[in-house]
C-alpha cells in the first residue's frame, strides 16, 4: 500500500515538473520580450512620462448609450484634447466632475499639460455644472 502511494507521489512530481518545463518553454517562445515593459523609460502615446496608475481617473470603455458629452463646453478643452480624453475613456462631464487633485495631476502629466491647468481652468467645477447626473 505504501509502495503504491509512493509511486503515485513520484509520478505526480514528475508530471508537475514536465508541465512546468513545457509551460516555461511555451511562455518563452510566445511570451515576447517583457523586460522592456519594466526597464524602459518610454513615454506615453502623447509624449508624457507614464503617470502613476493609481492616480488615473475612472474611465469607461465606451460612452453611455445616450452618447458622449461635448467636452469642448468646458473652457480649456479644445477639439484635440477632447479626442485624446475620449481615447483615454473620458466621455462625460460627470467623470470629470468626480476627479480629485491626484486625478487632475495624472491627467496633466499624461497629456503634458501645464501644472495646475485643470484646477486653474476650473474643469471640475464647470463639469459639475454641466453634468446631468
Amino acid at each position: 500500500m505504501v509502495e503504491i502511494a509512493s509511486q503515485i507521489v513520484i509520478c505526480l512530481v514528475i508530471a508537475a515538473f514536465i508541465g512546468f518545463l513545457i509551460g516555461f518553454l511555451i511562455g518563452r517562445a510566445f511570451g515576447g520580450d517583457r523586460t522592456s515593459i519594466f526597464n524602459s523609460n518610454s513615454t506615453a502615446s502623447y509624449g508624457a512620462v507614464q503617470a502613476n496608475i493609481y492616480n488615473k481617473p475612472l474611465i469607461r470603455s465606451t460612452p453611455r448609450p445616450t452618447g458622449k458629452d461635448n467636452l469642448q463646453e468646458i473652457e480649456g478643452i479644445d477639439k484635440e484634447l477632447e479626442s485624446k480624453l475620449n481615447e483615454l475613456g473620458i466621455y462625460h462631464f460627470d467623470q470629470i466632475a468626480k476627479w480629485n487633485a491626484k486625478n487632475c495631476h495624472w491627467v496633466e502629466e499624461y497629456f503634458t499639460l501645464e501644472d495646475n491647468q485643470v484646477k486653474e481652468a476650473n474643469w471640475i467645477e464647470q463639469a459639475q455644472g454641466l453634468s446631468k447626473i
Side-chain angles (χ1 to χ4, degrees):
M1 185 81 137
V2 173
E3 222 173 278
I4 294 173
S6 64
Q7 288 177 350
I8 291 173
V9 169
I10 290 172
C11 288
L12 287 174
V13 169
I14 292 171
F17 178 73
I18 291 171
F20 174 76
L21 185 61
I22 291 172
F24 178 75
L25 294 174
I26 290 174
R28 293 287 277 187
F30 298 109
D33 182 22
R34 295 185 181 159
T35 58
S36 63
I37 294 172
F38 299 109
N39 296 332
S40 72
N41 289 329
S42 64
T43 58
S45 59
Y46 300 107
V49 174
Q50 284 287 358
N52 184 345
I53 190 75
Y54 299 110
N55 297 332
K56 184 176 182 179
L58 293 177
I59 59 171
R60 298 177 56 89
S61 57
T62 59
R64 293 187 185 101
T66 56
K68 62 182 185 158
D69 295 333
N70 181 8
L71 299 179
Q72 294 179 49
E73 291 182 34
I74 296 175
E75 188 177 325
I77 298 180
D78 58 6
K79 187 170 183 70
E80 180 183 350
L81 187 53
E82 179 186 32
S83 69
K84 289 178 182 180
L85 287 167
N86 290 164
E87 287 175 20
L88 182 62
I90 298 170
Y91 302 99
H92 303 287
F93 296 126
D94 63 290
Q95 288 177 278
I96 297 173
K98 294 175 184 173
W99 287 358
N100 61 32
K102 289 183 178 182
N103 298 144
C104 295
H105 183 68
W106 188 94
V107 169
E108 290 165 350
E109 278 188 25
Y110 189 78
F111 293 120
T112 60
L113 303 174
E114 295 177 22
D115 287 340
N116 295 323
Q117 180 175 341
V118 173
K119 184 178 178 183
E120 290 173 2
N122 295 321
W123 286 13
I124 296 171
E125 291 79 10
Q126 291 181 63
Q128 288 169 345
L130 295 167
S131 179
K132 297 171 188 157
I133 294 179

